[in-house]
Amino acid sequence: MSLYAIGDLHLSLGSDKPMDIFGGGWDNYVEKIKVGFERLEPSDLCVVCGDVSWGMSLEESLPDFKFIDALPGKKILLKGNHDYWWTTATKIKKFFEDNEITSIDILFNNCFLYGDTAICGTRGWFYDEKNGAIHDKKIMDREVLRLEASLKAAGGAAERICFFHYPPIFKEYVSRGIIDVMNAYGVKSCWYGHIHGQGHRWALTGGHEGIMYHMISADYVGFEPVKVL
């Protein structure tokens, strides 16, 4: 059994916002995702770091969930900034159960164990401490609390790995609260998405303050999940 991760599938099988129109490698991206997942075995686990579906509701996103469910392995979804279908954990899990979606779960104020390693994380957010709006600060503060709840849920796990949609560090931006919580819980590995196109050049892939950062937006990794463990 192996652990994989990928971000930003941006599926729109039940809505009308295909990513092909943006170019930059997004042409025929649904087929690329399908081929990319062929490296997974049924026993493998893949964390999908947000921006899963363009659907505006669970119902509109159902074809996307069915597509993901049919891919090899188990999948854990995080919320992204474009996941407008996301409601409450209870409603999402019931929707999956009612529609016989059996290989998908969600990471939301919780964690999952992969052997002795805890899979933790949250969406994250961008907040400029000098010029940011009060609204964004409230969202950022809530994301820090969600991350800590996830890390606490890991209990006595030997290792904690964090997954986000938003990068904790991007260009001159640093999410101090997120990084401080990761350091407090001894996190050494961080995986994130959200960044596309020309933004790839500024994505942090390497060490910072004792944590290794990995950028895994689908277009950045060739629409193929990246092996974490």
Side-chain angles (χ1 to χ4, degrees):
M1 184 172 87
S2 297
L3 174 64
Y4 291 85
I6 190 171
D8 306 86
L9 301 184
H10 284 293
L11 296 169
S12 63
L13 300 175
S15 52
D16 189 22
K17 197 166 183 178
M19 295 293 288
D20 308 72
I21 62 174
F22 295 106
W26 284 96
D27 55 297
N28 199 32
Y29 72 105
V30 176
E31 182 62 25
K32 290 178 181 177
I33 292 169
K34 184 176 179 180
V35 171
F37 268 81
E38 288 178 355
R39 68 180 304 194
L40 273 69
E41 299 293 334
S43 60
D44 290 339
L45 178 62
C46 184
V47 181
V48 182
C49 292
D51 281 4
V52 178
S53 167
W54 280 111
M56 298 299 292
S57 65
L58 286 166
E59 290 75 17
E60 192 172 52
S61 298
L62 181 58
D64 298 331
F65 298 140
K66 289 288 188 180
F67 173 82
I68 295 169
D69 191 45
L71 297 172
K74 299 287 185 180
K75 305 94 187 175
I76 298 172
L77 310 184
L78 275 73
K79 183 180 181 180
N81 59 305
H82 292 302
D83 287 318
Y84 304 113
W85 54 269
W86 195 286
T87 57
T88 66
T90 299
K91 289 180 180 180
I92 293 170
K93 292 184 177 186
K94 185 177 187 305
F95 183 82
F96 288 167
E97 181 180 352
D98 290 346
N99 288 278
E100 300 181 335
I101 295 170
T102 59
S103 71
I104 306 177
D105 210 331
I106 60 171
L107 182 59
F108 193 60
N109 297 334
N110 60 344
C111 81
F112 293 86
L113 290 178
Y114 175 83
D116 291 332
T117 299
I119 297 168
C120 305
T122 187
R123 175 186 58 181
W125 197 249
F126 279 150
Y127 171 65
D128 182 347
E129 293 185 1
K130 293 183 179 179
N131 305 304
I134 293 176
H135 170 73
D136 286 315
K137 184 180 188 307
K138 289 181 178 178
I139 295 175
M140 187 74 254
D141 289 346
R142 189 161 59 243
E143 288 301 305
V144 171
L145 290 174
R146 291 193 188 285
L147 174 60
E148 187 158 21
S150 179
L151 289 164
K152 283 182 178 178
E159 181 182 1
R160 291 166 168 81
I161 299 177
C162 278
F163 298 87
F164 300 96
H165 178 63
Y166 283 92
I169 301 172
F170 183 67
K171 297 174 70 174
E172 70 280 359
Y173 171 78
V174 177
S175 177
R176 192 72 262 160
I178 293 286
I179 295 170
D180 287 348
V181 170
M182 285 197 289
N183 280 326
Y185 284 83
V187 174
K188 300 299 181 185
S189 180
C190 170
W191 304 71
Y192 68 90
H194 184 67
I195 306 301
H196 301 297
Q198 295 299 316
H200 290 167
R201 70 180 73 179
W202 295 296
L204 174 60
T205 55
H208 179 83
E209 296 186 14
I211 301 173
M212 289 298 297
Y213 289 85
H214 309 264
M215 215 278 279
I216 50 168
S217 296
D219 54 327
Y220 182 76
V221 298
F223 302 91
E224 181 175 309
V226 175
K227 185 176 286 189
V228 177
L229 293 173

